[in-house]
Amino acid sequence: SQRTLLAEHEERIHQLEMERRRLHNDIQELRGNIRVFCRVRPLLPEERERQRGLPHLHFPPQDARSLSQVGRERRAELRYDFSFDRVFPPGASQQEIFQEIQLLVQVCAQISISPG
């Protein structure tokens, strides 16, 4: 009787896990299967001296999906605007980045170890 009950619970857990995966995949498809992230790394000490920071990059505080680059040196009037699924400025922590991508990492890990 306990073995039967255990088998039923294991089957139910398996069904729920399959449903969770299906729903997660549906969400990913609705978002778009390809997501593009941009992480601007902090400057190295020697780069800080040479470049005096990153004045040519602008991270709009109200929009975590945009990045602008203004011209440098001879072409200061040029401006390029970029859009991504998420932009991480130089001050972003590893934890902040992982929180954003952890579901994607989990799905990739599950796919790589799943049989079949």
Side-chain angles (χ1 to χ4, degrees):
S1 147
Q2 286 183 342
R3 286 184 184 170
T4 304
L5 187 58
L6 179 61
E8 288 173 3
H9 285 297
E10 286 176 346
E11 178 61 28
R12 180 72 176 141
I13 289 170
H14 176 71
Q15 289 173 353
L16 290 171
E17 176 62 21
M18 296 307 291
E19 177 69 5
R20 186 196 67 78
R21 287 183 187 184
R22 186 189 66 74
L23 291 171
H24 178 76
N25 288 338
D26 289 348
I27 289 170
Q28 289 303 103
E29 283 184 35
L30 290 172
R31 281 181 160 176
N33 285 333
I34 298 174
R35 299 185 68 201
V36 180
F37 297 96
C38 172
R39 180 181 191 190
V40 178
R41 68 169 173 78
L43 292 173
L44 299 172
E46 59 270 10
E47 292 172 324
R48 258 187 241 126
E49 289 178 20
R50 201 173 6 157
Q51 296 179 0
R52 293 183 181 83
L54 296 170
H56 59 287
L57 295 179
H58 297 275
F59 304 91
Q62 72 282 4
D63 184 6
R65 304 177 98 184
S66 298
L67 169 67
S68 297
Q69 178 183 0
V70 293
R72 293 167 57 178
E73 300 164 6
R74 296 179 219 144
R75 307 279 315 260
E77 74 281 356
L78 290 178
R79 178 186 172 107
Y80 301 98
D81 295 315
F82 302 95
S83 292
F84 301 93
D85 288 299
R86 180 71 195 269
V87 173
F88 298 98
S93 68
Q94 291 291 91
Q95 182 178 2
E96 182 182 349
I97 294 166
F98 183 73
Q99 285 175 344
E100 181 71 28
I101 66 168
Q102 77 182 51
L103 284 178
L104 178 64
V105 171
Q106 287 173 355
V107 169
C108 289
Q110 288 173 356
I111 290 171
S112 67
I113 61 172
S114 295

